[in-house]
Amino acid sequence: MESALPAAGFLYWVGAGTVAYVALRISYSLFTALRVWGLSHEAGVGPRLGEWAGSSQPAEAETQSMSHPSDAVHLPWGQMGSQGLGNQGVHTQPMEMMLHLKQAIEKHMRQLATRHQQQDLVPEDKRPYQAPGEQEALLGNLMYQLVNLLQSGATDGPGLQPSCPSLDVKGDAGGGQWQWAQSSRQPAQPGYQLNDPEATFVSQHLSRRGIDISASYQASFQDYKMYQGDKYHEDENTLLSQSDMNVIEDVLLQYPDWSGHPFLREEVARFLTCYCKVPAQLDPENVVVLNGCSSVFSTLAMVLCDPGEAFLTPTPFYGGFVFSSGLYSKIELIPVHLDSESTDANPCPFQLTVDKLERALLESTLAGKKVRGLILINPQNPLGDVYSRDLLEECLGFAKRYNLHVIIDEIYMLSVFDDSVTFHSVLSMESLPDPNRTHVIWGTSKDFGISGFRFGVLYTHNKEVASAVSSFGYLHGISGIAQYKLCRLLQDQEWIDTVYLPTYRSRLQKAHRYITKKLKALGIPFLNRGSGLYIWINLQVYLDPCTFEEELLLHHHFLDNKLMLSRGKTYTCKEPGWFRIVFADKPLRLKQAMYRFYQVLEEQKQRLRVKQLESTQRE
Amino acid sequence: MFTLPQKESRAPATCPGPTSIQDLDSNSGDDLERECSRKPDRKLPEDCGASGPTAMLSSDSSCLSSRGRVIKWFWDSAEEGYRTYHMDEYDEDKNPSGIINLGTSENKLCFDLLSRRLSQSDMLRVEPSLLQYPDWRGHLFLREEVARFLSFYCKSPNPLKPDNVVVLNGCASLFSTLATVLCEAGEAFLIPAPYYGAITQHVYLYGNVRLVCVYLDSEVTGLDTRPFQLTVEKLEMALQRANSEGVKVKGLILINPHNPLGDIYSPGELRDYLEFAKRHELHVMVDEVYMLSVFEKPAAYRSVLSLEGLPDPQRTHVMWATSKDFGMSGLRFGTLYTENWDVATAVASLCRYHGLSGLVQYQMAQLLRDRDWINQVYLPENHARLKAAHAYVAGELRALGIPFLSRGAGFFIWVDLRKFLPEATFKAEMLLWRQFLDNKVLLSCGQTFECKEPGWFRLVFSDKAHRLRLGMQRVRQVLEGKSRVAEEPSSCQTQEPRSQRR
């Protein structure tokens, strides 16, 4: 909290309204970003899981990853300035200045944060950092220059104007994605009104759909959620760094087969045959590889549906699908709402049944919607459910009865860490009810924690679908070099079986055990499943009234305490009060996170008590 | 939102004559840059008219949506020629009688340099941030490097800003995303034809955007000073015609250096085109993917980014990639530079679907940073090899008495084989194309570039000397035999085997 104060102090000191506004925006986005720089930041979270076992990661790594949040550290400090100040037109100068300022504030705050962290975690850090005094002097100097520039710019009149509307975006831009994600969240936050992305995107240059795309991306809650799930693992690092990974052959640098290099598709077929326990060898010709599962989903939606047609989707479900379905393909996702209540008909919370599918299909058909298929996520995100073979068969049977396609997303298939739970891939079935309409998605983002690799797989028996999706290969292609590395990775079955998977799962298991223990101690209901990187928890008792507005408020209370969770609304959950906690993190962080979690809930209890008191008094 | 290219939407109303909206069927084949695939048999415009693919499509695949069928058709038609080539690829040792590929525009001359550079130890770096979800516009370190690189090689008067750079997996994705964010479905871009035909597919697949051709003539008449010259007059006319036909044109695509003409626009011409666009509030997408592949007088080339004071910077969007200039079409790295923040942001919003691996981003940054290697090793050697290969092929063509266009840029020569066609039709052009293929040499025919005159071919020369020699030998055989065979209609049906994909 106090880390923002130095910057704020200067604002008073300068006393220039415009500057204050501008700088506030910037420092604000930084500030919020920092607050959120808690549990779920990718870069920070990434390497931590590695510590479950050995816990011998050097202290340096800790601070190193603290400095990751902003790529701006890579920015050569002086160079940028000379570029900006030396050569740019007058109204770009403030932008450069602003960038500087932003970096300065950022740096400052990072150091504060680092020190803070160090007190907690690693007392003896040798990294030099500037004393606060120097930082403040620097900030002061920058602000001073900025004021001068703005004053000189003011005589130019309109020169400054055009760049102003997009300031917020600019401010975010330099700092990398985490900030972007923050600003995207802001419009929905009461009291965070400084930043209005909608306004930014009323552009004369974009088409309507272009504006929609930008706005939906900005306003979307989905993005930062994506950062949460994925982990990076130390062991992987070593494998990817092995010298055999860096092979350059001419075919890798030339135009590939757009459905993927044959060597990679063969390897994928072999890999899936093995890990999905497929009775007969899968055919490489049925494999299409693209740059990520979002791309696979997007292309499937394009080729299976016409605009406005729909897919049934058991809900809550991974919010990325909403984004993907709206962006390019313009298909509708019809939620099949599952209940948390356990009843006779619904023995298990959020139990998927064919009955519910039937009903949803009937209702949507009656409403005049054209339903083309069904989306299943197995293991489920965010519930963590792993579907039984029977349920799978029933669902596929249902789809077959109505000629529905089934897109089944098995991206967490290797992330089942509970030995008593068995994952059944649809590909493991002796005979698929409707092979021509069953399409499987898998990728390395989750199971191998390399979301930055951009690799997603489609497996479909339907040659037409495979061809049609391959048409997009050009637009979703993966670098030949990356294809080679992926091939090597998937090939190394011994490493996967003896090193990677056992370690990965046992770390997940430990983390899961820790979190569930804490949750139980706090008396918080949750779904205890044995898969995925997350737990679906129920915080309804902390909402009064139990509404999505209150859910959002609670979400913000978490953020204010530098803890990022995903709220149920993001998963189209129909009941307010559910949250998803990602637990795939290293012990120290988890401990810290759970402490903050506890604090927020205590505060929330307090707030509820006050609220109740007030309402009884009123009565 | 999406109107599908069904009969209705493709009816003559939107398919005007000469300026015609790019008809999907007409260039089908070009989608893949390995234009070798060009085998435009069933999609001759005169054959298919407005009903071509739709009629063909209605018959098959119950599983796909209607747009899915069109999308698949792109794949199928692209695949055929490519498949033929791949079933019988030339290999010095294993398959000396295989097909020589003079059709795909790839630089195969500098693989040794590249593989050496890319294998250096500085290229292999794995760190967490590279493996995690990136900034979707591209890692900052890479965008900074791209900005510096472009500032230098495009001779930009002011340093370009990393924040205006968006990095994604190739120029194809750039065309696609720009089309999506600048146009509504059904709107159009102007493009001087002949042009690199794959753009049709790029802007259509997701964007449902059409191309309006600005047809250029080989004849030098009026104010033209060279064959296939683009003039503002022609742009104006094409735009007017499109407007009168109710087609909403939102932008202009320029390819500079030009593919397939090898043309280079002078700064004056560039400015004229940009002014034209500004007058009509059109976006200009300048594809400069061959900018460092100007091997004759490279200094004469001017990037649009080098212009002092762009007429309409907010509507000028520049694309570049390493596919051509660094001979790495398989690497999938493309970049956009635009002063327009809204456009950059909107494109970035789609980058989630067009991202490239963090490890590759790192390698690209390393490569672009290595100015010494680029300036002292790679570029001089690359230009020298291109020049030598070009000189050889040009000499061969001269010996054969074949007119051609070549202006010292790109990997290809635009060859005039009109006198070898018994009649001036695309059917005849395609027959000749097949004869080449039968004689185990693959070229790209003019129709796939939407050239309006039958008989032009693009011949790629950026390949190893022995392959070129063999390839040219086979070309010569066909052309020499041509006079003899011309009477009897060719009995050479290459393949009908649509049996299996790829």
Side-chain angles (χ1 to χ4, degrees):
Chain A
M1 201 64 191
E2 65 280 353
S3 51
L5 286 180
F10 280 114
L11 297 184
Y12 300 119
W13 175 70
V14 169
T18 335
V19 182
Y21 174 66
V22 161
L24 247 176
R25 273 185 157 190
I26 295 168
S27 53
Y28 194 81
S29 71
L30 284 163
F31 180 44
T32 25
L34 185 81
R35 283 191 306 183
V36 183
W37 173 236
L39 176 60
S40 1
H41 184 259
E42 198 73 354
V45 170
R48 304 320 158 77
L49 199 62
E51 301 222 326
W52 276 101
S55 195
S56 59
Q57 203 173 4
E60 184 63 17
E62 177 71 13
T63 47
Q64 206 76 55
S65 59
M66 272 312 290
S67 62
H68 270 303
S70 164
D71 290 334
V73 263
H74 301 285
L75 243 181
W77 181 259
Q79 198 168 340
M80 191 71 193
S82 63
Q83 282 175 7
L85 297 175
N87 303 317
Q88 300 293 310
V90 116
H91 78 272
T92 55
Q93 288 181 9
M95 303 309 301
E96 302 285 352
M97 294 295 303
M98 232 84 84
L99 255 176
H100 272 205
L101 180 65
K102 187 175 72 68
Q103 286 164 6
I105 298 173
E106 209 173 2
K107 198 168 169 190
H108 184 70
M109 293 175 69
R110 204 160 44 234
Q111 280 166 0
L112 285 176
T114 310
R115 260 179 295 155
H116 191 71
Q117 284 288 319
Q118 285 159 359
Q119 284 157 16
D120 289 356
L121 309 168
V122 235
E124 68 286 80
D125 174 41
K126 295 186 185 67
R127 285 182 53 191
Y129 50 85
Q130 282 169 283
E134 280 172 72
Q135 288 280 328
E136 285 178 11
L138 181 59
L139 281 172
N141 185 24
L142 279 164
M143 291 306 288
Y144 177 71
Q145 289 179 42
L146 184 62
V147 172
N148 278 343
L149 265 170
L150 285 169
Q151 280 168 349
S152 65
T155 55
D156 285 10
L160 258 174
Q161 298 309 109
S163 52
C164 283
S166 50
L167 255 185
D168 40 356
V169 187
K170 277 227 154 176
D172 286 338
Q177 168 137 30
W178 57 298
Q179 289 177 16
W180 179 303
Q182 293 323 307
S183 74
S184 73
R185 209 195 59 248
Q186 292 183 5
Q189 289 178 299
Y192 291 11
Q193 299 298 345
L194 274 179
N195 204 347
D196 185 8
E198 295 289 339
T200 313
F201 289 108
V202 178
S203 159
Q204 51 173 342
H205 296 295
L206 298 179
S207 60
R208 280 195 308 280
R209 62 179 175 191
I211 293 168
D212 285 351
I213 285 166
S214 272
S216 88
Y217 184 77
Q218 289 279 297
S220 167
F221 275 65
Q222 319 305 345
D223 349 355
Y224 73 91
K225 184 177 49 55
M226 303 190 311
Y227 312 154
Q228 299 186 352
D230 311 41
K231 295 300 144 289
Y232 154 83
H233 309 283
E234 287 304 311
D235 315 326
E236 176 111 71
N237 191 354
T238 57
L239 185 80
L240 283 170
S241 304
Q242 279 167 18
S243 58
D244 66 340
M245 278 292 174
N246 203 23
V247 167
I248 310 289
E249 284 172 22
D250 52 358
V251 291
L252 299 181
L253 293 186
Q254 289 165 7
Y255 281 115
D257 180 334
W258 292 112
S259 50
H261 277 295
F263 66 78
L264 178 57
R265 286 187 290 117
E266 276 158 29
E267 200 48 53
V268 167
R270 200 200 52 76
F271 181 89
L272 292 180
T273 305
C274 169
Y275 290 96
C276 295
K277 302 192 179 60
V278 186
Q281 186 73 30
L282 294 177
D283 182 358
E285 295 301 306
N286 296 341
V287 174
V288 181
V289 302
L290 299 177
N291 65 341
C293 291
S294 314
S295 300
V296 177
F297 179 78
S298 172
T299 51
L300 276 177
M302 285 294 289
V303 307
L304 299 179
C305 285
D306 283 324
E309 294 181 346
F311 269 88
L312 293 179
T313 317
T315 304
F317 65 94
Y318 168 59
F321 284 148
V322 176
F323 194 65
S324 291
S325 58
L327 212 51
Y328 271 137
S329 54
K330 309 283 178 202
I331 68 165
E332 188 184 347
L333 299 182
I334 297 174
V336 180
H337 286 292
L338 307 178
D339 296 308
S340 64
E341 295 288 306
S342 299
T343 58
D344 290 344
N346 192 43
C348 217
F350 295 105
Q351 171 77 41
L352 174 64
T353 60
V354 169
D355 244 23
K356 292 174 189 167
L357 292 176
E358 293 271 8
R359 215 176 319 132
L361 178 63
L362 183 66
E363 280 166 16
S364 2
T365 313
L366 286 177
K369 289 177 178 161
K370 177 140 197 223
V371 177
R372 288 298 298 254
L374 166 68
I375 297 172
L376 296 176
I377 307 170
N378 184 31
Q380 221 275 0
N381 178 8
L383 301 176
D385 277 343
V386 178
Y387 295 143
S388 70
R389 190 181 285 275
D390 289 345
L391 178 58
L392 264 182
E393 268 168 17
E394 285 171 30
C395 289
L396 293 178
F398 156 81
K400 185 182 173 143
R401 274 200 298 287
Y402 298 98
N403 286 331
L404 298 181
H405 288 275
V406 181
I407 295 179
I408 178 150
D409 178 354
E410 300 189 346
I411 194 167
Y412 288 100
M413 76 173 184
L414 299 180
S415 306
V416 181
F417 52 87
D418 185 337
D419 297 337
S420 65
V421 176
T422 312
F423 165 76
H424 301 283
S425 167
V426 276
L427 295 173
S428 70
M429 294 180 153
E430 276 302 330
S431 68
L432 283 172
D434 193 355
N436 265 324
R437 288 199 179 79
T438 310
H439 319 291
V440 184
I441 300 179
W442 181 73
T444 47
S445 298
K446 312 295 176 186
D447 287 341
F448 286 93
I450 46 174
S451 44
F453 226 100
R454 313 313 304 136
F455 172 68
V457 171
L458 166 69
Y459 190 87
T460 174
H461 290 283
N462 189 321
K463 297 273 196 279
E464 283 165 353
V465 172
S467 307
V469 166
S470 299
S471 278
F472 288 96
Y474 223 126
L475 304 181
H476 300 297
I478 316 174
S479 172
I481 295 177
Q483 293 198 36
Y484 180 83
K485 289 181 191 203
L486 286 162
C487 178
R488 294 306 304 256
L489 180 70
L490 300 181
Q491 220 162 39
D492 200 343
Q493 199 173 338
E494 196 191 326
W495 174 80
I496 294 173
D497 287 342
T498 61
V499 181
Y500 179 73
L501 282 183
T503 319
Y504 174 51
R505 286 176 182 153
S506 90
R507 287 174 189 178
L508 282 179
Q509 211 165 32
K510 279 180 197 157
H512 181 263
R513 203 176 303 143
Y514 172 79
I515 289 282
T516 49
K517 198 179 80 197
K518 287 284 173 192
L519 288 172
K520 275 179 198 148
L522 289 167
I524 293 170
F526 60 92
L527 295 193
N528 196 356
R529 307 289 192 258
S531 80
L533 315 176
Y534 37 75
I535 298 181
W536 189 239
I537 64 171
N538 184 344
L539 298 181
Q540 281 167 348
V541 294
Y542 294 93
L543 304 186
D544 181 26
C546 190
T547 61
F548 284 113
E549 288 73 35
E550 292 296 314
E551 179 183 285
L552 183 62
L553 279 177
L554 181 56
H555 182 68
H556 288 155
H557 292 317
F558 283 124
L559 287 177
D560 290 343
N561 279 268
K562 303 189 195 180
L563 181 62
M564 185 152 82
L565 308 181
S566 311
R567 60 202 192 93
K569 180 84 175 165
T570 334
Y571 303 90
T572 328
C573 188
K574 76 165 178 183
E575 301 168 14
W578 290 87
F579 283 79
R580 193 188 78 165
I581 290 191
V582 173
F583 58 79
D585 205 339
K586 70 169 195 168
L588 260 179
R589 295 219 137 213
L590 272 190
K591 204 167 154 192
Q592 175 98 10
M594 288 315 282
Y595 178 66
R596 292 178 188 172
F597 182 71
Y598 167 76
Q599 272 184 324
V600 173
L601 292 185
E602 282 302 306
E603 287 167 22
Q604 183 74 359
K605 267 190 219 161
Q606 200 59 43
R607 271 189 291 268
L608 290 187
R609 237 172 267 138
V610 172
K611 214 169 177 177
Q612 277 163 2
L613 216 65
E614 280 170 357
S615 67
T616 46
Q617 276 170 355
R618 238 177 282 129
E619 280 160 23
Chain B
M1 262 318 248
F2 276 83
T3 45
L4 295 160
Q6 292 157 345
K7 259 179 189 157
E8 305 85 85
S9 62
R10 296 148 51 72
T14 53
C15 264
T19 328
S20 105
I21 292 274
Q22 183 60 50
D23 213 10
L24 277 172
D25 29 53
S26 64
N27 87 331
S28 64
D30 354 85
D31 32 0
L32 300 197
E33 160 64 22
R34 64 264 175 124
E35 284 117 326
C36 46
S37 50
R38 313 333 180 69
K39 190 186 127 200
D41 52 353
R42 59 183 171 182
K43 40 298 237 215
L44 298 181
E46 55 265 39
D47 289 348
C48 305
S51 67
T54 324
M56 188 186 69
L57 294 170
S58 49
S59 58
D60 59 7
S61 58
S62 57
C63 279
L64 299 178
S65 62
S66 34
R67 71 175 169 198
R69 288 196 286 273
V70 179
I71 289 164
K72 171 173 177 286
W73 173 84
F74 269 113
W75 173 257
D76 291 346
S77 46
E79 272 298 282
E80 312 180 46
Y82 192 55
R83 196 192 313 126
T84 318
Y85 166 61
H86 268 280
M87 285 188 310
D88 190 16
E89 224 171 300
Y90 171 83
D91 187 289
E92 291 86 309
D93 311 317
K94 287 175 225 148
N95 190 14
S97 65
I99 298 171
I100 301 261
N101 182 356
L102 302 183
T104 306
S105 178
E106 282 185 298
N107 185 350
K108 293 171 180 157
L109 293 170
C110 288
F111 176 72
D112 55 332
L113 303 178
L114 284 164
S115 84
R116 220 172 298 141
R117 182 64 192 87
L118 289 175
S119 306
Q120 277 173 27
S121 57
D122 67 330
M123 284 292 169
L124 185 58
R125 168 118 162 240
V126 180
E127 54 178 69
S129 66
L130 296 178
L131 295 179
Q132 289 158 357
Y133 282 121
D135 179 338
W136 292 112
R137 293 173 303 156
H139 282 290
L140 182 63
F141 65 80
L142 177 56
R143 286 186 288 117
E144 280 171 352
E145 214 47 67
V146 168
R148 270 195 284 274
F149 181 89
L150 293 181
S151 300
F152 181 79
Y153 288 100
C154 297
K155 304 189 183 62
S156 149
N158 297 312
L160 302 176
K161 295 183 279 298
D163 280 350
N164 294 348
V165 173
V166 182
V167 168
L168 31 65
N169 66 341
C171 281
S173 300
L174 267 175
F175 276 115
S176 172
T177 49
L178 281 175
T180 306
V181 305
L182 298 179
C183 297
E184 307 299 342
E187 294 182 339
F189 288 141
L190 281 182
I191 189 164
Y195 66 89
Y196 165 51
I199 298 172
T200 311
Q201 181 183 9
H202 301 336
V203 299
Y204 175 76
L205 277 188
Y206 275 129
N208 201 354
V209 167
R210 316 302 169 89
L211 297 179
V212 172
C213 289
V214 183
Y215 287 109
L216 307 180
D217 300 305
S218 64
E219 295 294 308
V220 178
T221 52
L223 298 171
D224 297 6
T225 55
R226 58 179 196 271
F228 295 106
Q229 185 175 358
L230 176 63
T231 60
V232 170
E233 203 187 351
K234 291 175 193 170
L235 287 170
E236 294 279 5
M237 264 160 49
L239 179 63
Q240 245 172 44
R241 199 169 308 153
N243 285 341
S244 71
E245 277 150 4
V247 176
K248 177 109 178 102
V249 174
K250 290 299 271 284
L252 164 68
I253 296 176
L254 294 176
I255 309 172
N256 185 33
H258 194 271
N259 177 6
L261 299 177
D263 223 348
I264 291 173
Y265 298 132
S266 72
E269 287 173 328
L270 264 183
R271 197 170 280 281
D272 289 346
Y273 308 148
L274 294 175
E275 292 288 355
F276 156 81
K278 185 183 183 175
R279 272 200 301 286
H280 299 285
E281 298 196 336
L282 298 180
H283 289 270
V284 184
M285 282 138 284
V286 192
D287 177 354
E288 301 194 342
V289 76
Y290 288 99
M291 76 171 184
L292 297 179
S293 303
V294 183
F295 52 90
E296 301 278 4
K297 302 197 221 75
Y301 172 74
R302 290 288 298 277
S303 162
V304 85
L305 290 174
S306 74
L307 299 183
E308 199 68 67
L310 283 173
D312 194 356
Q314 290 295 307
R315 287 200 183 81
T316 309
H317 318 295
V318 184
M319 315 178 182
W320 181 74
T322 48
S323 306
K324 309 300 179 184
D325 287 341
F326 285 92
M328 304 191 292
S329 38
L331 201 111
R332 313 315 300 140
F333 165 77
T335 182
L336 168 72
Y337 190 85
T338 175
E339 293 283 329
N340 188 320
W341 252 88
D342 294 336
V343 173
T345 312
V347 168
S349 308
L350 289 167
C351 276
R352 205 187 140 130
Y353 302 93
H354 307 286
L356 71 161
S357 170
L359 298 182
V360 177
Q361 293 197 35
Y362 179 80
Q363 292 182 323
M364 283 304 94
Q366 291 297 104
L367 185 78
L368 299 183
R369 178 179 295 147
D370 196 348
R371 228 43 91 55
D372 286 347
W373 178 80
I374 296 173
N375 290 333
Q376 281 146 38
V377 180
Y378 180 74
L379 283 185
E381 191 59 36
N382 186 32
H383 286 174
R385 291 180 190 182
L386 283 173
K387 216 165 172 167
H390 176 264
Y392 168 73
V393 172
E396 287 287 300
L397 291 171
R398 273 190 213 105
L400 283 165
I402 296 172
F404 61 90
L405 215 73
S406 174
R407 304 174 63 89
F411 306 154
F412 32 73
I413 296 182
W414 188 237
V415 181
D416 180 2
L417 299 181
R418 285 181 294 177
K419 65 179 173 190
F420 296 92
L421 301 188
E423 54 182 35
T425 62
F426 287 108
K427 207 165 195 168
E429 177 182 284
M430 196 192 60
L431 280 177
L432 180 56
W433 179 85
R434 280 202 182 156
Q435 280 172 332
F436 284 126
L437 195 61
D438 283 350
N439 205 38
K440 304 293 171 87
V441 60
L442 182 65
L443 302 181
S444 310
C445 57
Q447 201 202 351
T448 53
F449 301 96
E450 203 60 25
C451 184
K452 78 167 180 186
E453 300 168 11
W456 290 86
F457 282 75
R458 192 188 72 173
L459 199 158
V460 174
F461 58 78
S462 51
D463 208 341
K464 297 272 190 266
H466 67 277
R467 263 177 273 173
L468 270 190
R469 219 173 302 125
L470 198 53
M472 286 311 291
Q473 213 175 65
R474 293 175 183 178
V475 169
R476 180 199 289 265
Q477 282 165 0
V478 172
L479 294 181
E480 281 174 354
K482 188 62 192 163
S483 41
R484 275 179 285 133
V485 191
E487 289 79 42
E488 39 187 305
S490 78
S491 54
C492 51
Q493 287 305 319
T494 331
Q495 84 273 32
E496 230 34 70
R498 209 146 302 161
S499 48
Q500 49 174 8
R501 194 178 61 72
R502 73 138 295 138

